[in-house]
Short mmCIF file of all heavy atoms in Angstrom, two decimals:
data_model
loop_
_atom_site.label_atom_id
_atom_site.label_comp_id
_atom_site.label_asym_id
_atom_site.label_seq_id
_atom_site.Cartn_x
_atom_site.Cartn_y
_atom_site.Cartn_z
N MET A 1 56.92 63.89 103.95
CA MET A 1 57.34 62.79 104.80
C MET A 1 58.83 62.52 104.56
O MET A 1 59.29 62.48 103.43
CB MET A 1 56.52 61.53 104.46
CG MET A 1 56.78 60.43 105.44
SD MET A 1 55.96 58.84 105.10
CE MET A 1 54.29 59.28 104.78
N ARG A 2 59.56 62.32 105.63
CA ARG A 2 60.99 62.04 105.54
C ARG A 2 61.22 60.56 105.23
O ARG A 2 60.48 59.70 105.70
CB ARG A 2 61.69 62.38 106.84
CG ARG A 2 61.64 63.86 107.14
CD ARG A 2 62.43 64.24 108.35
NE ARG A 2 62.61 63.17 109.32
CZ ARG A 2 62.82 63.35 110.60
NH1 ARG A 2 62.83 64.57 111.08
NH2 ARG A 2 63.00 62.34 111.41
N PRO A 3 62.26 60.26 104.47
CA PRO A 3 62.57 58.84 104.21
C PRO A 3 63.04 58.14 105.48
O PRO A 3 63.57 58.79 106.39
CB PRO A 3 63.69 58.90 103.17
CG PRO A 3 64.27 60.26 103.27
CD PRO A 3 63.18 61.16 103.81
N VAL A 4 62.85 56.86 105.52
CA VAL A 4 63.29 56.07 106.68
C VAL A 4 64.80 56.13 106.76
O VAL A 4 65.50 55.93 105.77
CB VAL A 4 62.83 54.60 106.53
CG1 VAL A 4 63.39 53.75 107.65
CG2 VAL A 4 61.32 54.54 106.50
N GLN A 5 65.30 56.43 107.94
CA GLN A 5 66.75 56.51 108.14
C GLN A 5 67.22 55.21 108.76
O GLN A 5 66.85 54.88 109.89
CB GLN A 5 67.08 57.69 109.03
CG GLN A 5 68.48 58.15 108.88
CD GLN A 5 68.69 59.49 109.58
OE1 GLN A 5 67.90 59.90 110.42
NE2 GLN A 5 69.76 60.15 109.24
N ARG A 6 67.98 54.46 108.04
CA ARG A 6 68.48 53.18 108.51
C ARG A 6 69.87 53.37 109.12
O ARG A 6 70.64 54.20 108.67
CB ARG A 6 68.56 52.20 107.36
CG ARG A 6 67.21 51.99 106.71
CD ARG A 6 67.23 50.78 105.83
NE ARG A 6 66.01 50.64 105.09
CZ ARG A 6 64.89 50.11 105.55
NH1 ARG A 6 64.84 49.70 106.78
NH2 ARG A 6 63.82 50.01 104.80
N PRO A 7 70.20 52.56 110.13
CA PRO A 7 71.54 52.68 110.71
C PRO A 7 72.60 52.20 109.73
O PRO A 7 72.34 51.34 108.89
CB PRO A 7 71.48 51.77 111.94
CG PRO A 7 70.38 50.80 111.65
CD PRO A 7 69.40 51.53 110.78
N THR A 8 73.77 52.77 109.85
CA THR A 8 74.89 52.27 109.06
C THR A 8 75.31 50.92 109.65
O THR A 8 74.89 50.55 110.75
CB THR A 8 76.09 53.23 109.12
OG1 THR A 8 76.55 53.27 110.47
CG2 THR A 8 75.71 54.62 108.65
N VAL A 9 76.13 50.21 108.93
CA VAL A 9 76.62 48.92 109.42
C VAL A 9 77.37 49.12 110.74
O VAL A 9 77.20 48.34 111.68
CB VAL A 9 77.50 48.23 108.36
CG1 VAL A 9 78.12 46.97 108.91
CG2 VAL A 9 76.68 47.93 107.11
N ALA A 10 78.15 50.19 110.84
CA ALA A 10 78.89 50.46 112.08
C ALA A 10 77.94 50.77 113.24
O ALA A 10 78.15 50.32 114.36
CB ALA A 10 79.86 51.62 111.87
N GLU A 11 76.88 51.53 112.97
CA GLU A 11 75.91 51.85 114.02
C GLU A 11 75.11 50.63 114.46
O GLU A 11 74.67 50.54 115.60
CB GLU A 11 74.94 52.93 113.53
CG GLU A 11 75.59 54.27 113.31
CD GLU A 11 74.69 55.24 112.57
OE1 GLU A 11 73.75 54.82 111.88
OE2 GLU A 11 74.94 56.45 112.69
N ALA A 12 74.94 49.68 113.56
CA ALA A 12 74.17 48.47 113.85
C ALA A 12 75.01 47.41 114.55
O ALA A 12 74.47 46.41 115.03
CB ALA A 12 73.59 47.89 112.56
N ALA A 13 76.31 47.59 114.62
CA ALA A 13 77.22 46.57 115.17
C ALA A 13 76.85 46.08 116.57
O ALA A 13 76.85 44.87 116.80
CB ALA A 13 78.66 47.08 115.14
N PRO A 14 76.48 46.95 117.52
CA PRO A 14 76.12 46.43 118.86
C PRO A 14 74.88 45.52 118.81
O PRO A 14 74.84 44.49 119.48
CB PRO A 14 75.84 47.69 119.68
CG PRO A 14 76.58 48.78 118.98
CD PRO A 14 76.55 48.41 117.52
N TRP A 15 73.89 45.91 118.03
CA TRP A 15 72.69 45.08 117.91
C TRP A 15 73.02 43.76 117.20
O TRP A 15 72.55 42.70 117.58
CB TRP A 15 71.61 45.85 117.17
CG TRP A 15 70.31 45.13 117.18
CD1 TRP A 15 69.77 44.41 116.15
CD2 TRP A 15 69.39 45.00 118.25
NE1 TRP A 15 68.58 43.86 116.53
CE2 TRP A 15 68.32 44.21 117.82
CE3 TRP A 15 69.37 45.49 119.55
CZ2 TRP A 15 67.25 43.90 118.64
CZ3 TRP A 15 68.30 45.18 120.36
CH2 TRP A 15 67.25 44.39 119.90
N LEU A 16 73.85 43.84 116.19
CA LEU A 16 74.28 42.65 115.46
C LEU A 16 74.99 41.68 116.39
O LEU A 16 74.71 40.48 116.38
CB LEU A 16 75.20 43.08 114.31
CG LEU A 16 75.54 42.09 113.23
CD1 LEU A 16 74.30 41.55 112.55
CD2 LEU A 16 76.45 42.74 112.21
N GLU A 17 75.87 42.19 117.22
CA GLU A 17 76.60 41.35 118.19
C GLU A 17 75.63 40.73 119.19
O GLU A 17 75.77 39.56 119.55
CB GLU A 17 77.66 42.19 118.92
CG GLU A 17 78.56 41.37 119.81
CD GLU A 17 79.35 40.32 119.07
OE1 GLU A 17 79.73 40.54 117.91
OE2 GLU A 17 79.60 39.24 119.66
N ARG A 18 74.64 41.48 119.62
CA ARG A 18 73.65 40.95 120.56
C ARG A 18 72.89 39.78 119.94
O ARG A 18 72.70 38.74 120.58
CB ARG A 18 72.67 42.06 120.94
CG ARG A 18 71.56 41.55 121.81
CD ARG A 18 70.53 42.59 122.10
NE ARG A 18 69.40 41.92 122.73
CZ ARG A 18 68.20 42.40 122.79
NH1 ARG A 18 67.96 43.57 122.29
NH2 ARG A 18 67.24 41.72 123.36
N LEU A 19 72.45 39.94 118.69
CA LEU A 19 71.71 38.87 118.03
C LEU A 19 72.60 37.64 117.81
O LEU A 19 72.16 36.51 118.02
CB LEU A 19 71.16 39.35 116.68
CG LEU A 19 70.02 40.35 116.74
CD1 LEU A 19 69.70 40.87 115.35
CD2 LEU A 19 68.79 39.71 117.36
N ARG A 20 73.84 37.87 117.42
CA ARG A 20 74.76 36.74 117.18
C ARG A 20 75.05 35.99 118.47
O ARG A 20 75.24 34.78 118.46
CB ARG A 20 76.04 37.24 116.54
CG ARG A 20 75.86 37.63 115.09
CD ARG A 20 77.12 38.17 114.49
NE ARG A 20 76.94 38.42 113.07
CZ ARG A 20 77.75 39.17 112.35
NH1 ARG A 20 78.81 39.74 112.92
NH2 ARG A 20 77.51 39.35 111.07
N THR A 21 75.12 36.69 119.59
CA THR A 21 75.36 36.05 120.89
C THR A 21 74.13 35.27 121.33
O THR A 21 74.25 34.15 121.83
CB THR A 21 75.74 37.11 121.95
OG1 THR A 21 76.92 37.79 121.50
CG2 THR A 21 75.99 36.47 123.29
N ALA A 22 72.96 35.85 121.14
CA ALA A 22 71.71 35.20 121.57
C ALA A 22 71.35 34.01 120.69
O ALA A 22 70.74 33.05 121.17
CB ALA A 22 70.57 36.21 121.56
N TRP A 23 71.72 34.04 119.44
CA TRP A 23 71.34 33.00 118.47
C TRP A 23 72.58 32.52 117.72
O TRP A 23 72.73 32.77 116.53
CB TRP A 23 70.30 33.57 117.49
CG TRP A 23 69.13 34.19 118.18
CD1 TRP A 23 68.94 35.51 118.42
CD2 TRP A 23 68.03 33.51 118.77
NE1 TRP A 23 67.77 35.69 119.12
CE2 TRP A 23 67.19 34.49 119.35
CE3 TRP A 23 67.67 32.17 118.87
CZ2 TRP A 23 66.01 34.16 120.00
CZ3 TRP A 23 66.49 31.86 119.53
CH2 TRP A 23 65.68 32.84 120.08
N PRO A 24 73.49 31.80 118.39
CA PRO A 24 74.77 31.44 117.78
C PRO A 24 74.66 30.49 116.58
O PRO A 24 75.58 30.44 115.76
CB PRO A 24 75.55 30.80 118.92
CG PRO A 24 74.51 30.33 119.88
CD PRO A 24 73.37 31.30 119.76
N HIS A 25 73.58 29.75 116.45
CA HIS A 25 73.46 28.81 115.33
C HIS A 25 72.96 29.48 114.06
O HIS A 25 72.98 28.87 112.99
CB HIS A 25 72.55 27.64 115.70
CG HIS A 25 73.07 26.86 116.87
ND1 HIS A 25 74.34 26.32 116.89
CD2 HIS A 25 72.51 26.55 118.05
CE1 HIS A 25 74.53 25.70 118.05
NE2 HIS A 25 73.43 25.83 118.77
N TRP A 26 72.48 30.69 114.19
CA TRP A 26 72.01 31.44 113.04
C TRP A 26 73.14 32.30 112.50
O TRP A 26 73.94 32.84 113.24
CB TRP A 26 70.85 32.36 113.44
CG TRP A 26 69.57 31.67 113.73
CD1 TRP A 26 69.20 31.08 114.90
CD2 TRP A 26 68.49 31.46 112.83
NE1 TRP A 26 67.95 30.54 114.79
CE2 TRP A 26 67.48 30.76 113.52
CE3 TRP A 26 68.26 31.81 111.50
CZ2 TRP A 26 66.28 30.41 112.93
CZ3 TRP A 26 67.05 31.46 110.92
CH2 TRP A 26 66.09 30.77 111.63
N GLY A 27 73.19 32.47 111.21
CA GLY A 27 74.09 33.43 110.59
C GLY A 27 73.33 34.74 110.49
O GLY A 27 72.38 34.85 109.71
N ILE A 28 73.71 35.72 111.28
CA ILE A 28 73.01 37.00 111.32
C ILE A 28 73.81 38.01 110.50
O ILE A 28 75.00 38.19 110.70
CB ILE A 28 72.87 37.53 112.77
CG1 ILE A 28 72.28 36.46 113.69
CG2 ILE A 28 72.06 38.81 112.79
CD1 ILE A 28 70.84 36.10 113.44
N VAL A 29 73.12 38.69 109.57
CA VAL A 29 73.77 39.64 108.67
C VAL A 29 72.93 40.91 108.57
O VAL A 29 71.70 40.83 108.51
CB VAL A 29 73.92 39.03 107.25
CG1 VAL A 29 74.56 40.00 106.30
CG2 VAL A 29 74.69 37.73 107.30
N TYR A 30 73.61 42.04 108.56
CA TYR A 30 72.95 43.32 108.26
C TYR A 30 73.68 43.93 107.08
O TYR A 30 74.89 44.14 107.14
CB TYR A 30 72.99 44.26 109.47
CG TYR A 30 72.40 45.62 109.18
CD1 TYR A 30 71.05 45.75 108.87
CD2 TYR A 30 73.18 46.76 109.21
CE1 TYR A 30 70.50 46.99 108.59
CE2 TYR A 30 72.63 48.01 108.94
CZ TYR A 30 71.29 48.12 108.63
OH TYR A 30 70.75 49.33 108.35
N ASP A 31 72.97 44.20 105.99
CA ASP A 31 73.62 44.69 104.77
C ASP A 31 73.47 46.20 104.57
O ASP A 31 73.80 46.71 103.51
CB ASP A 31 73.10 43.93 103.55
CG ASP A 31 71.64 44.20 103.24
OD1 ASP A 31 71.03 45.06 103.90
OD2 ASP A 31 71.10 43.53 102.34
N GLY A 32 72.98 46.89 105.58
CA GLY A 32 72.79 48.33 105.47
C GLY A 32 71.35 48.70 105.16
O GLY A 32 70.95 49.85 105.30
N THR A 33 70.55 47.73 104.72
CA THR A 33 69.13 47.98 104.44
C THR A 33 68.23 46.94 105.07
O THR A 33 67.15 47.26 105.53
CB THR A 33 68.85 48.00 102.92
OG1 THR A 33 69.21 46.74 102.36
CG2 THR A 33 69.61 49.11 102.23
N GLN A 34 68.65 45.70 105.10
CA GLN A 34 67.84 44.59 105.62
C GLN A 34 68.65 43.77 106.62
O GLN A 34 69.87 43.67 106.51
CB GLN A 34 67.40 43.65 104.49
CG GLN A 34 66.45 44.28 103.50
CD GLN A 34 65.04 44.41 104.06
OE1 GLN A 34 64.53 43.50 104.69
NE2 GLN A 34 64.43 45.55 103.83
N TRP A 35 67.94 43.16 107.55
CA TRP A 35 68.53 42.21 108.51
C TRP A 35 68.19 40.81 108.03
O TRP A 35 67.05 40.54 107.63
CB TRP A 35 67.94 42.44 109.90
CG TRP A 35 68.35 43.74 110.50
CD1 TRP A 35 67.81 44.96 110.24
CD2 TRP A 35 69.37 43.95 111.46
NE1 TRP A 35 68.44 45.93 110.99
CE2 TRP A 35 69.40 45.33 111.75
CE3 TRP A 35 70.27 43.12 112.11
CZ2 TRP A 35 70.29 45.89 112.66
CZ3 TRP A 35 71.15 43.66 113.02
CH2 TRP A 35 71.16 45.04 113.28
N TRP A 36 69.15 39.91 108.06
CA TRP A 36 68.97 38.54 107.58
C TRP A 36 69.40 37.55 108.65
O TRP A 36 70.38 37.79 109.35
CB TRP A 36 69.83 38.29 106.34
CG TRP A 36 69.55 39.19 105.19
CD1 TRP A 36 70.01 40.46 105.02
CD2 TRP A 36 68.73 38.91 104.08
NE1 TRP A 36 69.53 40.98 103.85
CE2 TRP A 36 68.74 40.04 103.25
CE3 TRP A 36 67.98 37.80 103.69
CZ2 TRP A 36 68.04 40.10 102.06
CZ3 TRP A 36 67.29 37.85 102.50
CH2 TRP A 36 67.31 38.99 101.70
N ALA A 37 68.69 36.44 108.74
CA ALA A 37 69.08 35.33 109.60
C ALA A 37 69.06 34.07 108.73
O ALA A 37 68.06 33.78 108.08
CB ALA A 37 68.13 35.18 110.77
N LEU A 38 70.16 33.37 108.69
CA LEU A 38 70.32 32.19 107.84
C LEU A 38 70.61 30.97 108.71
O LEU A 38 71.43 31.05 109.61
CB LEU A 38 71.46 32.41 106.85
CG LEU A 38 71.43 33.76 106.12
CD1 LEU A 38 72.77 34.05 105.48
CD2 LEU A 38 70.32 33.78 105.11
N LEU A 39 69.95 29.87 108.41
CA LEU A 39 70.12 28.65 109.20
C LEU A 39 69.98 27.45 108.29
O LEU A 39 69.09 27.40 107.43
CB LEU A 39 69.06 28.59 110.30
CG LEU A 39 69.05 27.33 111.18
CD1 LEU A 39 70.27 27.32 112.10
CD2 LEU A 39 67.77 27.28 112.01
N THR A 40 70.84 26.46 108.47
CA THR A 40 70.69 25.17 107.81
C THR A 40 70.45 24.14 108.90
O THR A 40 71.27 23.97 109.80
CB THR A 40 71.93 24.79 106.98
OG1 THR A 40 72.14 25.81 106.00
CG2 THR A 40 71.75 23.46 106.30
N LEU A 41 69.31 23.47 108.84
CA LEU A 41 68.92 22.50 109.85
C LEU A 41 68.46 21.24 109.14
O LEU A 41 67.52 21.26 108.35
CB LEU A 41 67.79 23.08 110.70
CG LEU A 41 67.34 22.28 111.90
CD1 LEU A 41 68.47 22.11 112.90
CD2 LEU A 41 66.17 22.98 112.57
N ASN A 42 69.17 20.14 109.40
CA ASN A 42 68.86 18.85 108.74
C ASN A 42 68.84 18.98 107.22
O ASN A 42 67.97 18.43 106.54
CB ASN A 42 67.52 18.31 109.24
CG ASN A 42 67.54 18.01 110.71
OD1 ASN A 42 68.56 17.62 111.25
ND2 ASN A 42 66.41 18.19 111.38
N GLY A 43 69.79 19.74 106.69
CA GLY A 43 69.90 19.91 105.25
C GLY A 43 68.90 20.89 104.64
O GLY A 43 68.90 21.10 103.44
N ARG A 44 68.06 21.47 105.45
CA ARG A 44 67.05 22.41 104.97
C ARG A 44 67.49 23.84 105.30
O ARG A 44 67.74 24.16 106.46
CB ARG A 44 65.71 22.11 105.63
CG ARG A 44 64.61 22.98 105.14
CD ARG A 44 63.27 22.51 105.70
NE ARG A 44 62.33 23.60 105.58
CZ ARG A 44 61.56 24.04 106.55
NH1 ARG A 44 61.62 23.48 107.73
NH2 ARG A 44 60.75 25.03 106.35
N ARG A 45 67.54 24.68 104.29
CA ARG A 45 67.95 26.06 104.50
C ARG A 45 66.75 26.94 104.84
O ARG A 45 65.70 26.83 104.23
CB ARG A 45 68.61 26.62 103.24
CG ARG A 45 69.92 25.97 102.93
CD ARG A 45 70.53 26.56 101.70
NE ARG A 45 71.75 25.85 101.38
CZ ARG A 45 72.33 25.89 100.21
NH1 ARG A 45 71.81 26.61 99.24
NH2 ARG A 45 73.43 25.22 100.00
N THR A 46 66.96 27.80 105.81
CA THR A 46 65.92 28.74 106.22
C THR A 46 66.51 30.14 106.19
O THR A 46 67.61 30.37 106.68
CB THR A 46 65.43 28.43 107.65
OG1 THR A 46 64.93 27.10 107.67
CG2 THR A 46 64.36 29.40 108.09
N THR A 47 65.78 31.06 105.59
CA THR A 47 66.20 32.46 105.53
C THR A 47 65.08 33.32 106.06
O THR A 47 63.94 33.22 105.61
CB THR A 47 66.52 32.88 104.08
OG1 THR A 47 67.51 32.01 103.55
CG2 THR A 47 67.00 34.30 104.02
N LEU A 48 65.41 34.15 107.03
CA LEU A 48 64.45 35.12 107.56
C LEU A 48 64.98 36.51 107.23
O LEU A 48 66.18 36.76 107.31
CB LEU A 48 64.32 34.97 109.07
CG LEU A 48 63.91 33.60 109.60
CD1 LEU A 48 63.91 33.60 111.12
CD2 LEU A 48 62.55 33.20 109.06
N ARG A 49 64.09 37.41 106.85
CA ARG A 49 64.49 38.77 106.51
C ARG A 49 63.58 39.74 107.25
O ARG A 49 62.39 39.49 107.41
CB ARG A 49 64.35 38.98 105.00
CG ARG A 49 64.79 40.34 104.55
CD ARG A 49 64.68 40.47 103.07
NE ARG A 49 63.26 40.43 102.70
CZ ARG A 49 62.82 40.55 101.47
NH1 ARG A 49 63.66 40.68 100.47
NH2 ARG A 49 61.53 40.51 101.22
N ALA A 50 64.16 40.85 107.72
CA ALA A 50 63.38 41.84 108.45
C ALA A 50 63.97 43.23 108.20
O ALA A 50 65.13 43.36 107.81
CB ALA A 50 63.38 41.52 109.94
N SER A 51 63.17 44.24 108.48
CA SER A 51 63.63 45.61 108.27
C SER A 51 64.33 46.19 109.49
O SER A 51 64.94 47.24 109.41
CB SER A 51 62.45 46.50 107.87
OG SER A 51 61.47 46.48 108.89
N SER A 52 64.25 45.48 110.65
CA SER A 52 64.94 45.96 111.85
C SER A 52 65.46 44.77 112.65
O SER A 52 64.99 43.65 112.50
CB SER A 52 63.99 46.79 112.73
OG SER A 52 63.04 45.95 113.34
N GLY A 53 66.42 45.05 113.51
CA GLY A 53 66.96 44.00 114.37
C GLY A 53 65.92 43.45 115.33
O GLY A 53 65.87 42.25 115.60
N ILE A 54 65.06 44.32 115.82
CA ILE A 54 64.00 43.88 116.74
C ILE A 54 63.03 42.95 116.03
O ILE A 54 62.64 41.90 116.55
CB ILE A 54 63.26 45.10 117.32
CG1 ILE A 54 64.20 45.91 118.20
CG2 ILE A 54 62.01 44.68 118.08
CD1 ILE A 54 63.65 47.26 118.61
N GLU A 55 62.66 43.32 114.81
CA GLU A 55 61.75 42.47 114.03
C GLU A 55 62.40 41.13 113.72
O GLU A 55 61.75 40.08 113.78
CB GLU A 55 61.36 43.18 112.73
CG GLU A 55 60.39 42.39 111.88
CD GLU A 55 60.07 43.07 110.57
OE1 GLU A 55 60.43 44.25 110.37
OE2 GLU A 55 59.47 42.41 109.72
N LEU A 56 63.68 41.13 113.40
CA LEU A 56 64.37 39.88 113.11
C LEU A 56 64.39 38.97 114.34
O LEU A 56 64.14 37.77 114.25
CB LEU A 56 65.80 40.14 112.64
CG LEU A 56 66.57 38.89 112.23
CD1 LEU A 56 65.92 38.21 111.03
CD2 LEU A 56 68.01 39.24 111.91
N GLU A 57 64.68 39.55 115.50
CA GLU A 57 64.69 38.75 116.72
C GLU A 57 63.31 38.13 116.98
O GLU A 57 63.21 36.97 117.36
CB GLU A 57 65.12 39.61 117.92
CG GLU A 57 65.28 38.80 119.18
CD GLU A 57 65.94 39.58 120.29
OE1 GLU A 57 65.70 40.80 120.40
OE2 GLU A 57 66.69 38.96 121.06
N THR A 58 62.27 38.89 116.74
CA THR A 58 60.90 38.37 116.90
C THR A 58 60.64 37.21 115.95
O THR A 58 60.05 36.20 116.33
CB THR A 58 59.89 39.51 116.66
OG1 THR A 58 60.14 40.55 117.59
CG2 THR A 58 58.46 39.01 116.81
N ARG A 59 61.10 37.33 114.72
CA ARG A 59 60.90 36.26 113.74
C ARG A 59 61.68 34.99 114.10
O ARG A 59 61.20 33.89 113.91
CB ARG A 59 61.28 36.74 112.35
CG ARG A 59 60.31 37.74 111.80
CD ARG A 59 60.70 38.22 110.44
NE ARG A 59 59.77 39.26 110.04
CZ ARG A 59 59.27 39.36 108.82
NH1 ARG A 59 59.62 38.51 107.89
NH2 ARG A 59 58.45 40.33 108.54
N ILE A 60 62.90 35.17 114.61
CA ILE A 60 63.69 34.02 115.04
C ILE A 60 62.99 33.31 116.19
O ILE A 60 62.88 32.08 116.21
CB ILE A 60 65.13 34.43 115.44
CG1 ILE A 60 65.90 34.90 114.22
CG2 ILE A 60 65.85 33.27 116.10
CD1 ILE A 60 67.26 35.52 114.55
N GLN A 61 62.50 34.08 117.15
CA GLN A 61 61.78 33.48 118.28
C GLN A 61 60.54 32.74 117.82
O GLN A 61 60.24 31.65 118.32
CB GLN A 61 61.41 34.55 119.31
CG GLN A 61 62.59 35.10 120.05
CD GLN A 61 62.23 36.30 120.92
OE1 GLN A 61 61.16 36.87 120.80
NE2 GLN A 61 63.16 36.68 121.79
N ALA A 62 59.82 33.30 116.87
CA ALA A 62 58.61 32.66 116.36
C ALA A 62 58.94 31.39 115.57
O ALA A 62 58.17 30.43 115.58
CB ALA A 62 57.84 33.63 115.47
N PHE A 63 60.10 31.37 114.92
CA PHE A 63 60.50 30.21 114.14
C PHE A 63 60.77 29.00 115.02
O PHE A 63 60.49 27.87 114.65
CB PHE A 63 61.77 30.54 113.33
CG PHE A 63 62.24 29.39 112.48
CD1 PHE A 63 61.66 29.14 111.26
CD2 PHE A 63 63.26 28.56 112.92
CE1 PHE A 63 62.07 28.07 110.47
CE2 PHE A 63 63.69 27.51 112.15
CZ PHE A 63 63.10 27.26 110.92
N ARG A 64 61.31 29.25 116.22
CA ARG A 64 61.63 28.16 117.13
C ARG A 64 60.38 27.40 117.40
O ARG A 64 60.14 26.35 117.60
CB ARG A 64 62.17 28.71 118.45
CG ARG A 64 63.53 29.30 118.30
CD ARG A 64 64.06 29.81 119.59
NE ARG A 64 63.69 28.95 120.69
CZ ARG A 64 63.87 29.24 121.95
NH1 ARG A 64 64.42 30.36 122.28
NH2 ARG A 64 63.52 28.44 122.90
#
């Protein structure tokens, strides 16, 4: 079995920009292995983590 091939930060840039545009109040980060969404709402910090941009978008939508 081949290891999972993750996009580089440069390859992920278009998807990262799409998420940041769609969800401007979230801090969206891709570190080369995981996708992160960070939000502070009413003093409460929320962190969502996912293995793909699509999964992260789904989690953000579910959080709403």
Side-chain angles (χ1 to χ4, degrees):
M1 188 184 311
R2 295 185 335 206
V4 174
Q5 201 169 17
R6 301 195 186 278
T8 64
V9 174
E11 292 169 339
W15 188 258
L16 193 57
E17 187 61 33
R18 175 185 170 200
L19 289 173
R20 287 178 175 164
T21 301
W23 307 99
H25 299 305
W26 288 84
I28 309 292
V29 179
Y30 177 64
D31 67 6
T33 60
Q34 294 285 317
W35 292 80
W36 301 82
L38 313 164
L39 177 70
T40 300
L41 186 62
N42 297 327
R44 183 173 161 230
R45 292 181 184 162
T46 301
T47 303
L48 303 176
R49 182 178 67 178
S51 59
S52 71
I54 294 169
E55 181 183 349
L56 184 64
E57 186 170 35
T58 301
R59 289 179 185 221
I60 292 171
Q61 290 172 347
F63 181 81
R64 290 181 38 190

